[in-house]
Amino acid sequence: MTVSNRVMIDNCPVGYLYREESDDANDSGWRIFAGDETQDYAEVSSNFALYNASTIVERAPQLRTLLGAPYPIAFERDANTGEFVEIDE
């Protein structure tokens, strides 16, 4: 999983995630963001790192049920409920 440093280093909650076809055998295709990253931020590869699923689920347990979803799919945290809802991309 490719995860934004806003989540893993800055300790922001996960706000948005999507899954695309994986790049290689070591890639699940998941991309996980806080949701406030700018386009300029997202274009800098050093602002992201690879993590295994257990590390992400430890930080955000509610993702456990989402991570088995097939690609392509995207989820966003609902500001009112805090739950993740599937969105059209």
Side-chain angles (χ1 to χ4, degrees), residues 2-31:
T2 302
V3 185
S4 168
N5 288 343
R6 296 280 299 134
V7 172
M8 296 307 292
I9 294 174
D10 298 339
N11 293 314
C12 294
V14 174
Y16 172 74
L17 63 155
Y18 68 92
R19 189 174 195 183
E20 61 186 7
E21 187 171 5
S22 63
D23 293 331
D24 59 51
N26 294 322
D27 177 27
S28 67
W30 282 107
R31 310 296 180 246

Side-chain angles (χ1 to χ4, degrees), residues 1 7-8 10 36 39 48 51-52 55 67-68 70 78 80:
M1 310 184 154
V7 172
M8 296 307 292
D10 298 339
D36 63 357
Q39 185 63 37
F48 297 86
Y51 292 90
N52 61 40
T55 301
L67 296 179
D78 182 286
N80 295 319

Side-chain angles (χ1 to χ4, degrees), residues 67-80:
L67 296 179
Y71 73 87
I73 197 163
F75 297 95
E76 186 173 66
R77 185 185 299 273
D78 182 286
N80 295 319

